[in-house]
Amino acid sequence: VKNEGPTAGAVHSTEMDYAHWTALHERADGIFVADCWKHCGSYCCKTNHAQQDFSLMKCGSAGMVFPGQEYAFLKENDLLQDGFEATARHWNYVIDADRGLSIKFVTAHCDLGGICSNAKWRPLICKFYPLYPKVVAEGGAIESYTFGSIIDQYWDELGVEHPCWLYRNHGDDIDKTIRRTLPEVLSHPYLIFYLGAANIFVDHVARSSQGKELALIFSDPRQFFRAWEVSYLTGQLIDQEALRGELVAHYDAIVAHHGPFEL
Amino acid sequence: MNLKEIMANVFHCNVEDIDNSAKINEVSGWDSLNHVVLIMRLNSEGHDIPAHMIAELTSYEAIADYIGEE
């Protein structure tokens, strides 16, 4: 896709090479704290909290989200975890049709329950969990974080302790590790965009949840999650126009520093 | 198309994969997102399944019973 950026000049390719992906994955491995799953029953891999009374979303597994290039890199190098390819769904979300801007991402299910078939190359979203970083538009520093899973937004409001032992006990350490080791390898415009886009999306859904009747049932976590999943899956928590506007503004902020680039 | 044919079409599986005991997340392609797509498809074909029933109709039998298909 050749995007017409807001400024003059050629649109440059954003394809990251093997060395860059390798460096990124190796450094992201440093976030991991060994045996953390012993404290939570592998919550992040199993979506198994007793209060999450989902009817539609699959419990006992985890939903994966990949930037298109990350999935393509893992697939082309035969590095995907078992089961990802069979459940992969490729998305093309148009954020500005006139300028040919669309986000390419892949979703998949992970049914491995915490036992990765290829742990070294588990998805970045897993390596970053319980946080998900946003890099400043110019690169070189972490701007902020959102939660590593979209269903982790609500624990405070629900009055329930965050299920992730790492988040509860080592959140500051994870933040420091990410800030110390990752900004350089995350400062590619393609990654800056997709990390930021994920943050924007999660925050958008969280704000929408709090503005709807869902807020009225925060006192009952199981009822909340049942209502939330239907609202989320049917698109009721997403104001498409507002979301697209936020994503285009994010793209333009990066272009201002790096020039037009392919999404 | 009958219900099983519609489901197979939405889930990109074979009609034979949808037996009477089929349930969400137990049939290839029948995940939460495709479940919503299925409900939208059924509504576009003249059924009237309200949003509050989406989380209740999670099996072939429940859907067939709701829309009155044997």
Side-chain angles (χ1 to χ4, degrees), chain A residues 15-18 21 68-80 85 90:
Chain A
E15 191 160 347
M16 289 165 43
D17 61 19
Y18 187 92
W21 282 113
Q69 280 192 30
E70 183 193 6
Y71 185 87
F73 166 79
L74 294 171
K75 185 174 186 298
E76 287 165 8
N77 290 282
D78 199 21
L79 298 170
L80 287 169
E85 203 166 349
H90 297 257

Side-chain angles (χ1 to χ4, degrees), chain A:
Chain A
V1 177
K2 293 293 182 186
N3 299 319
E4 290 298 326
T7 59
V11 176
H12 54 79
S13 169
T14 55
E15 191 160 347
M16 289 165 43
D17 61 19
Y18 187 92
H20 194 148
W21 282 113
T22 302
L24 174 53
H25 272 269
E26 285 181 352
R27 292 196 194 187
D29 258 343
I31 303 168
F32 180 65
V33 176
D35 294 347
C36 66
W37 66 85
K38 292 180 178 176
H39 302 273
C40 66
S42 302
Y43 161 73
C44 63
C45 296
K46 293 183 177 177
T47 318
N48 58 355
H49 195 282
Q51 300 284 19
Q52 289 173 329
D53 189 23
F54 293 126
S55 299
L56 308 177
M57 291 167 62
K58 192 175 183 180
C59 293
S61 69
M64 300 287 110
V65 183
F66 306 81
Q69 280 192 30
E70 183 193 6
Y71 185 87
F73 166 79
L74 294 171
K75 185 174 186 298
E76 287 165 8
N77 290 282
D78 199 21
L79 298 170
L80 287 169
Q81 308 293 313
D82 291 347
F84 284 12
E85 203 166 349
T87 60
R89 187 173 298 171
H90 297 257
W91 302 82
N92 189 56
Y93 183 67
V94 176
I95 58 173
D96 188 332
D98 292 341
R99 292 161 59 189
L101 294 174
S102 62
I103 298 177
K104 290 91 176 171
F105 62 99
V106 179
T107 57
H109 288 288
C110 180
D111 294 318
L112 298 173
I115 311 298
C116 300
S117 58
N118 187 357
K120 179 182 176 183
W121 294 99
R122 65 194 186 282
L124 290 173
I125 195 170
C126 302
K127 294 187 175 185
F128 293 150
Y129 189 87
L131 303 176
Y132 200 81
K134 181 179 184 182
V135 178
V136 296
E138 62 267 38
I142 303 297
E143 178 179 316
S144 60
Y145 298 96
T146 190
F147 289 94
S149 167
I150 198 163
I151 55 177
D152 281 346
Q153 310 300 307
Y154 308 105
W155 296 117
D156 274 353
E157 286 90 339
L158 293 167
V160 178
E161 184 179 65
H162 195 301
C164 177
W165 173 84
L166 275 181
Y167 181 79
R168 296 197 310 270
N169 296 283
H170 295 281
D172 290 344
D173 297 334
I174 294 168
D175 173 29
K176 288 175 186 169
T177 302
I178 290 174
R179 289 181 191 277
R180 186 178 68 249
T181 60
L182 286 174
E184 180 190 344
V185 286
L186 293 178
S187 293
H188 190 289
Y190 178 84
L191 284 175
I192 297 172
F193 178 81
Y194 277 87
L195 294 171
N199 273 257
I200 288 167
F201 176 74
V202 172
D203 291 345
H204 182 90
V205 170
R207 288 198 307 273
S208 299
S209 308
Q210 290 160 350
K212 291 186 181 296
E213 64 274 14
L214 285 172
L216 299 175
I217 53 174
F218 270 133
S219 60
D220 184 340
R222 290 173 68 84
Q223 189 183 352
F224 169 80
F225 279 118
R226 288 193 69 136
W228 180 88
E229 73 168 342
V230 172
S231 297
Y232 175 65
L233 291 167
T234 55
Q236 296 174 50
L237 299 181
I238 301 167
D239 178 335
Q240 299 285 352
E241 186 177 349
L243 177 61
R244 288 189 170 104
E246 291 178 56
L247 293 167
V248 170
H250 174 54
Y251 174 78
D252 287 342
I254 300 169
V255 167
H257 294 281
H258 300 270
F261 59 95
E262 291 181 10
L263 289 178

